Amino acid sequence: NAGVTQTPKFRVLKTGQSMTLLCAQDMNHEYMYWYRQDPGMGLRLIHYSVGEGTTAKGEVPDGYNVSRLKKQNFLLGLESAAPSQTSVYFCASGRGAWKTQYFGPGTRLLVL
Amino acid sequence: QQQVKQSPQSLIVQKGGISIINCAYENTAFDYFPWYQQFPGKGPALLIAIRPDVSEKKEGRFTISFNKSAKQFSLHIMDSQPGDSATYFCAASNNSGAGSYQLTFGKGTKLSVIP
């Protein structure tokens, strides 16, 4: 099993550009999450999904959109990138309450 | 606002010593308290977790101590090794009602174990 994979690993964007980060999991998990990690800030939840076709906002959702068209995939979109969105983005998946969240390797995004 | 406060920010321990990381929370509805370990360039991985019906959980050299009345929990790493050098995050979640299945993370503790 590959677990949780993220594409791309690294990306540089100019302010105002758009992009989509892809997360895929092969563990048949219902729940998927997108976090951002910034120095000294820990991991902050952007959006999450409790099943195919459903999404919900987390702690820091502004400037991001998500879609979960297939159970195994969770996409994070930036419509108009801003320097404040420079971060490392982690996707995770899990089986829900009281269960382990499995994290991907991360995507490092630099917005100039 | 849900918060989990973690201390210290960084910790240096000699090989063989005990590493202690503390967390405090505010939301009494939290009912799951995991610790995640993250090595540089990698995603976090679950290390150990506890639910509030027990006061302590031990797995190998790693122990969580939980104090429900004080709303605090801590991670103890016994016989710390250089391979334990990583960033550790405490987290908490409530698994009913609004915000279910969401983990709220502390800001992390960077542990360095020196030979």
Short mmCIF file of all heavy atoms in Angstrom, two decimals, chain A residues 31 33 35 37 40-45 48 50 57-59 90 96-106 108, chain B residues 1-2 9 31-32 36 38 41-46 51 87 89 93 95 99-108:
data_model
loop_
_atom_site.label_atom_id
_atom_site.label_comp_id
_atom_site.label_asym_id
_atom_site.label_seq_id
_atom_site.Cartn_x
_atom_site.Cartn_y
_atom_site.Cartn_z
N TYR A 31 -12.59 9.53 5.93
CA TYR A 31 -12.28 10.90 6.30
C TYR A 31 -10.95 11.34 5.70
O TYR A 31 -9.96 10.61 5.75
CB TYR A 31 -12.22 11.05 7.83
CG TYR A 31 -13.50 10.60 8.48
CD1 TYR A 31 -13.68 9.28 8.90
CD2 TYR A 31 -14.54 11.49 8.66
CE1 TYR A 31 -14.86 8.86 9.46
CE2 TYR A 31 -15.72 11.08 9.24
CZ TYR A 31 -15.88 9.77 9.63
OH TYR A 31 -17.06 9.37 10.18
N TYR A 33 -8.37 15.06 5.19
CA TYR A 33 -8.11 16.37 5.78
C TYR A 33 -7.00 17.08 5.02
O TYR A 33 -6.07 16.44 4.53
CB TYR A 33 -7.66 16.21 7.24
CG TYR A 33 -8.53 15.32 8.09
CD1 TYR A 33 -8.36 13.94 8.09
CD2 TYR A 33 -9.50 15.87 8.93
CE1 TYR A 33 -9.16 13.12 8.88
CE2 TYR A 33 -10.29 15.05 9.73
CZ TYR A 33 -10.12 13.69 9.69
OH TYR A 33 -10.90 12.88 10.47
N TYR A 35 -4.22 20.12 5.93
CA TYR A 35 -3.63 20.98 6.94
C TYR A 35 -2.56 21.85 6.28
O TYR A 35 -1.97 21.48 5.28
CB TYR A 35 -2.92 20.16 8.03
CG TYR A 35 -3.82 19.31 8.88
CD1 TYR A 35 -4.10 17.99 8.52
CD2 TYR A 35 -4.33 19.78 10.07
CE1 TYR A 35 -4.89 17.19 9.32
CE2 TYR A 35 -5.13 18.98 10.89
CZ TYR A 35 -5.40 17.69 10.49
OH TYR A 35 -6.18 16.90 11.30
N GLN A 37 1.13 23.74 7.59
CA GLN A 37 2.08 23.79 8.70
C GLN A 37 3.01 24.95 8.47
O GLN A 37 3.71 25.03 7.45
CB GLN A 37 2.88 22.49 8.80
CG GLN A 37 3.83 22.47 9.99
CD GLN A 37 4.53 21.14 10.17
OE1 GLN A 37 4.82 20.43 9.22
NE2 GLN A 37 4.79 20.78 11.42
N GLY A 40 6.34 27.39 14.01
CA GLY A 40 5.82 27.89 15.28
C GLY A 40 4.32 27.90 15.40
O GLY A 40 3.78 28.36 16.42
N MET A 41 3.63 27.39 14.37
CA MET A 41 2.16 27.44 14.39
C MET A 41 1.52 26.06 14.47
O MET A 41 0.30 25.93 14.54
CB MET A 41 1.64 28.16 13.14
CG MET A 41 2.07 29.61 13.03
SD MET A 41 1.39 30.58 14.39
CE MET A 41 -0.36 30.55 13.99
N GLY A 42 2.30 25.04 14.44
CA GLY A 42 1.74 23.69 14.46
C GLY A 42 1.03 23.37 13.16
O GLY A 42 1.35 23.92 12.10
N LEU A 43 0.06 22.50 13.24
CA LEU A 43 -0.74 22.10 12.07
C LEU A 43 -2.13 22.69 12.23
O LEU A 43 -2.78 22.52 13.26
CB LEU A 43 -0.84 20.57 12.01
CG LEU A 43 0.46 19.88 11.66
CD1 LEU A 43 0.62 18.61 12.47
CD2 LEU A 43 0.49 19.55 10.19
N ARG A 44 -2.58 23.37 11.21
CA ARG A 44 -3.90 23.99 11.26
C ARG A 44 -4.77 23.41 10.15
O ARG A 44 -4.35 23.33 9.00
CB ARG A 44 -3.79 25.50 11.13
CG ARG A 44 -3.11 26.17 12.33
CD ARG A 44 -3.06 27.68 12.18
NE ARG A 44 -2.15 28.08 11.11
CZ ARG A 44 -2.06 29.30 10.63
NH1 ARG A 44 -2.82 30.26 11.12
NH2 ARG A 44 -1.19 29.58 9.67
N LEU A 45 -5.98 23.04 10.51
CA LEU A 45 -6.89 22.39 9.58
C LEU A 45 -7.51 23.41 8.63
O LEU A 45 -8.07 24.43 9.05
CB LEU A 45 -7.99 21.68 10.37
CG LEU A 45 -8.99 20.87 9.56
CD1 LEU A 45 -8.31 19.68 8.87
CD2 LEU A 45 -10.12 20.37 10.47
N TYR A 48 -11.91 19.70 5.54
CA TYR A 48 -11.91 18.26 5.69
C TYR A 48 -13.15 17.68 5.02
O TYR A 48 -14.07 18.42 4.62
CB TYR A 48 -11.82 17.85 7.16
CG TYR A 48 -13.01 18.22 8.02
CD1 TYR A 48 -13.94 17.26 8.39
CD2 TYR A 48 -13.18 19.51 8.48
CE1 TYR A 48 -15.02 17.59 9.20
CE2 TYR A 48 -14.25 19.85 9.27
CZ TYR A 48 -15.16 18.89 9.64
OH TYR A 48 -16.23 19.24 10.43
N VAL A 50 -15.87 14.18 5.30
CA VAL A 50 -16.28 12.98 6.04
C VAL A 50 -16.83 11.91 5.10
O VAL A 50 -17.37 10.91 5.57
CB VAL A 50 -17.29 13.32 7.15
CG1 VAL A 50 -16.67 14.29 8.16
CG2 VAL A 50 -18.58 13.88 6.57
N LYS A 57 -15.52 23.18 6.38
CA LYS A 57 -14.44 24.12 6.67
C LYS A 57 -13.77 23.76 7.99
O LYS A 57 -14.41 23.33 8.94
CB LYS A 57 -14.99 25.54 6.74
CG LYS A 57 -15.51 26.07 5.43
CD LYS A 57 -16.04 27.49 5.59
CE LYS A 57 -16.57 28.01 4.26
NZ LYS A 57 -17.10 29.39 4.39
N GLY A 58 -12.47 24.00 8.02
CA GLY A 58 -11.72 23.83 9.24
C GLY A 58 -11.41 25.18 9.87
O GLY A 58 -12.20 26.12 9.77
N GLU A 59 -10.25 25.28 10.48
CA GLU A 59 -9.87 26.48 11.21
C GLU A 59 -9.48 27.65 10.30
O GLU A 59 -9.76 28.81 10.61
CB GLU A 59 -8.70 26.15 12.14
CG GLU A 59 -8.19 27.29 13.00
CD GLU A 59 -6.94 26.91 13.79
OE1 GLU A 59 -6.55 25.73 13.78
OE2 GLU A 59 -6.36 27.82 14.43
N PHE A 90 -0.14 19.48 4.23
CA PHE A 90 -0.24 18.06 4.49
C PHE A 90 -1.67 17.59 4.32
O PHE A 90 -2.61 18.22 4.79
CB PHE A 90 0.22 17.72 5.91
CG PHE A 90 1.70 17.81 6.11
CD1 PHE A 90 2.26 18.93 6.70
CD2 PHE A 90 2.52 16.77 5.71
CE1 PHE A 90 3.63 19.01 6.88
CE2 PHE A 90 3.90 16.85 5.89
CZ PHE A 90 4.45 17.98 6.47
N GLY A 96 -12.03 8.19 11.21
CA GLY A 96 -12.96 9.01 11.98
C GLY A 96 -12.64 9.05 13.46
O GLY A 96 -11.49 9.08 13.86
N ALA A 97 -13.67 9.03 14.25
CA ALA A 97 -13.55 9.27 15.69
C ALA A 97 -12.56 8.32 16.35
O ALA A 97 -12.60 7.11 16.12
CB ALA A 97 -14.92 9.12 16.34
N TRP A 98 -11.72 8.89 17.17
CA TRP A 98 -10.73 8.17 17.98
C TRP A 98 -9.78 7.32 17.15
O TRP A 98 -9.16 6.39 17.67
CB TRP A 98 -11.44 7.27 19.01
CG TRP A 98 -12.37 8.00 19.89
CD1 TRP A 98 -12.05 8.92 20.86
CD2 TRP A 98 -13.80 7.91 19.89
NE1 TRP A 98 -13.19 9.39 21.45
CE2 TRP A 98 -14.27 8.79 20.89
CE3 TRP A 98 -14.72 7.16 19.16
CZ2 TRP A 98 -15.63 8.95 21.15
CZ3 TRP A 98 -16.06 7.32 19.43
CH2 TRP A 98 -16.51 8.21 20.42
N LYS A 99 -9.66 7.62 15.89
CA LYS A 99 -8.82 6.82 15.02
C LYS A 99 -7.63 7.61 14.52
O LYS A 99 -7.66 8.83 14.41
CB LYS A 99 -9.63 6.31 13.82
CG LYS A 99 -10.82 5.45 14.18
CD LYS A 99 -10.41 4.17 14.86
CE LYS A 99 -11.62 3.27 15.11
NZ LYS A 99 -11.26 2.04 15.84
N THR A 100 -6.57 6.88 14.18
CA THR A 100 -5.35 7.48 13.67
C THR A 100 -5.61 8.24 12.38
O THR A 100 -6.37 7.80 11.53
CB THR A 100 -4.32 6.37 13.38
OG1 THR A 100 -4.12 5.63 14.57
CG2 THR A 100 -3.01 6.96 12.90
N GLN A 101 -4.97 9.41 12.28
CA GLN A 101 -4.91 10.08 10.99
C GLN A 101 -3.54 9.76 10.37
O GLN A 101 -2.51 9.90 11.03
CB GLN A 101 -5.08 11.59 11.14
CG GLN A 101 -6.52 11.99 11.47
CD GLN A 101 -6.75 13.49 11.42
OE1 GLN A 101 -5.97 14.23 10.84
NE2 GLN A 101 -7.83 13.94 12.03
N TYR A 102 -3.57 9.35 9.11
CA TYR A 102 -2.34 9.01 8.38
C TYR A 102 -2.01 10.16 7.46
O TYR A 102 -2.83 10.55 6.63
CB TYR A 102 -2.55 7.71 7.58
CG TYR A 102 -2.79 6.51 8.45
CD1 TYR A 102 -4.07 6.19 8.88
CD2 TYR A 102 -1.73 5.70 8.87
CE1 TYR A 102 -4.30 5.09 9.70
CE2 TYR A 102 -1.95 4.61 9.68
CZ TYR A 102 -3.24 4.31 10.10
OH TYR A 102 -3.46 3.23 10.92
N PHE A 103 -0.81 10.67 7.60
CA PHE A 103 -0.40 11.86 6.86
C PHE A 103 0.42 11.50 5.63
O PHE A 103 1.19 10.53 5.63
CB PHE A 103 0.44 12.78 7.76
CG PHE A 103 -0.38 13.56 8.74
CD1 PHE A 103 -0.85 12.98 9.90
CD2 PHE A 103 -0.69 14.90 8.49
CE1 PHE A 103 -1.62 13.70 10.81
CE2 PHE A 103 -1.45 15.63 9.40
CZ PHE A 103 -1.91 15.03 10.55
N GLY A 104 0.27 12.34 4.60
CA GLY A 104 1.11 12.25 3.44
C GLY A 104 2.45 12.93 3.69
O GLY A 104 2.68 13.49 4.77
N PRO A 105 3.34 12.93 2.69
CA PRO A 105 4.68 13.49 2.86
C PRO A 105 4.75 15.01 2.76
O PRO A 105 5.80 15.60 3.04
CB PRO A 105 5.47 12.84 1.72
CG PRO A 105 4.45 12.59 0.67
CD PRO A 105 3.18 12.25 1.40
N GLY A 106 3.66 15.64 2.35
CA GLY A 106 3.64 17.09 2.30
C GLY A 106 3.94 17.67 0.93
O GLY A 106 4.60 17.05 0.10
N ARG A 108 5.42 21.37 -0.43
CA ARG A 108 5.99 22.66 -0.05
C ARG A 108 5.63 23.68 -1.13
O ARG A 108 5.95 23.49 -2.30
CB ARG A 108 7.50 22.56 0.10
CG ARG A 108 8.17 23.80 0.64
CD ARG A 108 9.65 23.55 0.92
NE ARG A 108 9.84 22.53 1.92
CZ ARG A 108 9.87 22.77 3.23
NH1 ARG A 108 9.71 23.99 3.68
NH2 ARG A 108 10.07 21.78 4.07
N GLN B 1 -12.81 29.53 21.31
CA GLN B 1 -12.01 28.86 20.30
C GLN B 1 -11.26 27.70 20.93
O GLN B 1 -10.71 27.83 22.00
CB GLN B 1 -11.03 29.85 19.68
CG GLN B 1 -10.19 29.25 18.57
CD GLN B 1 -9.26 30.28 17.94
OE1 GLN B 1 -9.33 31.46 18.27
NE2 GLN B 1 -8.40 29.86 17.07
N GLN B 2 -11.30 26.58 20.26
CA GLN B 2 -10.60 25.42 20.78
C GLN B 2 -9.10 25.68 20.73
O GLN B 2 -8.57 26.14 19.73
CB GLN B 2 -10.94 24.19 19.96
CG GLN B 2 -12.39 23.81 20.04
CD GLN B 2 -12.69 22.56 19.24
OE1 GLN B 2 -11.88 22.13 18.45
NE2 GLN B 2 -13.86 21.99 19.44
N GLN B 9 8.74 24.87 23.69
CA GLN B 9 8.88 24.94 22.23
C GLN B 9 10.02 24.06 21.76
O GLN B 9 9.97 23.46 20.68
CB GLN B 9 9.16 26.38 21.80
CG GLN B 9 7.95 27.22 21.54
CD GLN B 9 8.30 28.54 20.90
OE1 GLN B 9 9.17 29.26 21.40
NE2 GLN B 9 7.66 28.85 19.80
N ASP B 31 -12.19 14.37 23.89
CA ASP B 31 -12.21 13.01 24.43
C ASP B 31 -11.21 12.08 23.75
O ASP B 31 -11.35 10.85 23.81
CB ASP B 31 -13.63 12.43 24.36
CG ASP B 31 -14.18 12.41 22.93
OD1 ASP B 31 -13.46 12.79 22.00
OD2 ASP B 31 -15.34 12.02 22.78
N TYR B 32 -10.25 12.66 23.10
CA TYR B 32 -9.21 11.84 22.45
C TYR B 32 -7.96 12.70 22.36
O TYR B 32 -8.03 13.84 21.90
CB TYR B 32 -9.69 11.41 21.06
CG TYR B 32 -8.68 10.63 20.24
CD1 TYR B 32 -8.23 9.37 20.63
CD2 TYR B 32 -8.20 11.14 19.05
CE1 TYR B 32 -7.32 8.66 19.87
CE2 TYR B 32 -7.28 10.44 18.27
CZ TYR B 32 -6.86 9.20 18.68
OH TYR B 32 -5.97 8.50 17.92
N TYR B 36 1.68 13.06 18.05
CA TYR B 36 2.26 12.76 16.75
C TYR B 36 3.74 13.13 16.76
O TYR B 36 4.16 14.10 17.39
CB TYR B 36 1.53 13.52 15.64
CG TYR B 36 0.24 12.87 15.21
CD1 TYR B 36 -0.91 13.00 16.00
CD2 TYR B 36 0.16 12.12 14.05
CE1 TYR B 36 -2.10 12.38 15.63
CE2 TYR B 36 -1.02 11.50 13.67
CZ TYR B 36 -2.15 11.64 14.46
OH TYR B 36 -3.33 11.03 14.08
N GLN B 38 7.08 13.91 14.25
CA GLN B 38 7.41 14.31 12.89
C GLN B 38 8.92 14.47 12.73
O GLN B 38 9.54 15.27 13.44
CB GLN B 38 6.71 15.63 12.52
CG GLN B 38 6.93 16.05 11.08
CD GLN B 38 6.24 17.36 10.73
OE1 GLN B 38 6.05 18.21 11.58
NE2 GLN B 38 5.87 17.51 9.47
N GLY B 41 11.19 16.84 6.99
CA GLY B 41 10.86 16.46 5.63
C GLY B 41 9.80 15.38 5.50
O GLY B 41 9.51 14.93 4.39
N LYS B 42 9.23 14.97 6.61
CA LYS B 42 8.21 13.92 6.60
C LYS B 42 6.90 14.43 7.17
O LYS B 42 6.85 15.47 7.82
CB LYS B 42 8.68 12.72 7.45
CG LYS B 42 10.01 12.16 7.05
CD LYS B 42 9.95 11.46 5.71
CE LYS B 42 11.26 10.76 5.39
NZ LYS B 42 11.22 10.13 4.05
N GLY B 43 5.84 13.68 6.91
CA GLY B 43 4.57 13.99 7.54
C GLY B 43 4.53 13.46 8.97
O GLY B 43 5.26 12.54 9.31
N PRO B 44 3.66 14.04 9.81
CA PRO B 44 3.53 13.52 11.17
C PRO B 44 3.01 12.10 11.17
O PRO B 44 2.29 11.69 10.27
CB PRO B 44 2.50 14.48 11.80
CG PRO B 44 2.52 15.69 10.93
CD PRO B 44 2.83 15.21 9.55
N ALA B 45 3.37 11.35 12.21
CA ALA B 45 2.89 9.98 12.36
C ALA B 45 2.46 9.76 13.80
O ALA B 45 3.11 10.26 14.73
CB ALA B 45 3.97 8.98 11.98
N LEU B 46 1.36 9.04 13.99
CA LEU B 46 0.86 8.79 15.34
C LEU B 46 1.89 8.03 16.15
O LEU B 46 2.43 7.02 15.73
CB LEU B 46 -0.44 8.00 15.29
CG LEU B 46 -1.04 7.68 16.65
CD1 LEU B 46 -1.58 8.95 17.29
CD2 LEU B 46 -2.15 6.64 16.53
N ARG B 51 -7.41 8.08 25.83
CA ARG B 51 -8.75 8.59 26.03
C ARG B 51 -8.91 8.89 27.51
O ARG B 51 -8.24 8.29 28.34
CB ARG B 51 -9.77 7.59 25.51
CG ARG B 51 -9.73 7.50 23.99
CD ARG B 51 -10.62 6.44 23.43
NE ARG B 51 -12.03 6.66 23.71
CZ ARG B 51 -13.00 5.94 23.17
NH1 ARG B 51 -12.71 4.98 22.32
NH2 ARG B 51 -14.26 6.17 23.47
N THR B 87 10.17 16.54 15.97
CA THR B 87 9.19 17.47 16.52
C THR B 87 7.97 16.68 16.96
O THR B 87 7.48 15.82 16.22
CB THR B 87 8.79 18.53 15.49
OG1 THR B 87 9.97 19.27 15.12
CG2 THR B 87 7.77 19.49 16.07
N PHE B 89 4.03 16.73 18.43
CA PHE B 89 2.80 17.51 18.51
C PHE B 89 1.78 16.78 19.38
O PHE B 89 1.51 15.59 19.16
CB PHE B 89 2.17 17.70 17.13
CG PHE B 89 2.99 18.53 16.19
CD1 PHE B 89 3.85 17.95 15.28
CD2 PHE B 89 2.88 19.92 16.20
CE1 PHE B 89 4.59 18.71 14.40
CE2 PHE B 89 3.62 20.70 15.32
CZ PHE B 89 4.48 20.09 14.43
N SER B 93 -9.24 16.02 20.23
CA SER B 93 -10.45 16.12 19.41
C SER B 93 -11.66 15.76 20.26
O SER B 93 -11.55 15.06 21.27
CB SER B 93 -10.39 15.20 18.19
OG SER B 93 -10.45 13.85 18.57
N ASN B 95 -15.44 14.02 19.65
CA ASN B 95 -15.97 13.14 18.63
C ASN B 95 -17.48 13.04 18.66
O ASN B 95 -18.06 12.01 18.38
CB ASN B 95 -15.30 11.77 18.76
CG ASN B 95 -13.83 11.88 18.41
OD1 ASN B 95 -13.48 12.02 17.24
ND2 ASN B 95 -12.98 11.86 19.41
N GLY B 99 -17.71 19.87 14.87
CA GLY B 99 -16.26 19.71 14.94
C GLY B 99 -15.79 18.29 15.14
O GLY B 99 -14.61 18.06 15.40
N SER B 100 -16.71 17.35 15.00
CA SER B 100 -16.32 15.96 15.19
C SER B 100 -15.22 15.57 14.22
O SER B 100 -15.18 16.03 13.10
CB SER B 100 -17.53 15.04 14.96
OG SER B 100 -18.51 15.26 15.93
N TYR B 101 -14.36 14.71 14.69
CA TYR B 101 -13.29 14.11 13.89
C TYR B 101 -12.18 15.09 13.54
O TYR B 101 -11.29 14.76 12.79
CB TYR B 101 -13.84 13.49 12.59
CG TYR B 101 -15.15 12.79 12.79
CD1 TYR B 101 -16.29 13.18 12.11
CD2 TYR B 101 -15.27 11.74 13.70
CE1 TYR B 101 -17.49 12.54 12.31
CE2 TYR B 101 -16.47 11.10 13.90
CZ TYR B 101 -17.58 11.51 13.20
OH TYR B 101 -18.78 10.89 13.39
N GLN B 102 -12.24 16.31 14.06
CA GLN B 102 -11.18 17.26 13.81
C GLN B 102 -10.17 17.19 14.94
O GLN B 102 -10.53 17.16 16.11
CB GLN B 102 -11.74 18.68 13.76
CG GLN B 102 -12.69 18.97 12.63
CD GLN B 102 -13.14 20.41 12.66
OE1 GLN B 102 -12.31 21.30 12.84
NE2 GLN B 102 -14.42 20.64 12.49
N LEU B 103 -8.90 17.18 14.56
CA LEU B 103 -7.83 17.26 15.54
C LEU B 103 -7.38 18.71 15.67
O LEU B 103 -7.17 19.38 14.66
CB LEU B 103 -6.64 16.40 15.12
CG LEU B 103 -6.74 14.89 15.32
CD1 LEU B 103 -5.53 14.20 14.72
CD2 LEU B 103 -6.89 14.55 16.79
N THR B 104 -7.25 19.18 16.90
CA THR B 104 -6.66 20.48 17.18
C THR B 104 -5.26 20.22 17.72
O THR B 104 -5.10 19.52 18.73
CB THR B 104 -7.48 21.26 18.21
OG1 THR B 104 -8.80 21.48 17.69
CG2 THR B 104 -6.83 22.61 18.50
N PHE B 105 -4.26 20.75 17.03
CA PHE B 105 -2.87 20.47 17.37
C PHE B 105 -2.26 21.57 18.23
O PHE B 105 -2.59 22.76 18.08
CB PHE B 105 -2.03 20.33 16.10
CG PHE B 105 -2.22 19.03 15.38
CD1 PHE B 105 -3.22 18.88 14.42
CD2 PHE B 105 -1.39 17.96 15.63
CE1 PHE B 105 -3.39 17.68 13.75
CE2 PHE B 105 -1.55 16.75 14.97
CZ PHE B 105 -2.56 16.62 14.03
N GLY B 106 -1.33 21.16 19.11
CA GLY B 106 -0.45 22.12 19.74
C GLY B 106 0.57 22.61 18.73
O GLY B 106 0.64 22.11 17.60
N LYS B 107 1.39 23.59 19.15
CA LYS B 107 2.32 24.19 18.20
C LYS B 107 3.61 23.41 18.02
O LYS B 107 4.43 23.77 17.18
CB LYS B 107 2.60 25.63 18.61
CG LYS B 107 1.36 26.52 18.49
CD LYS B 107 1.67 27.98 18.77
CE LYS B 107 0.42 28.82 18.55
NZ LYS B 107 0.68 30.26 18.75
N GLY B 108 3.80 22.36 18.78
CA GLY B 108 4.94 21.50 18.57
C GLY B 108 6.10 21.76 19.51
O GLY B 108 6.29 22.87 20.00
#
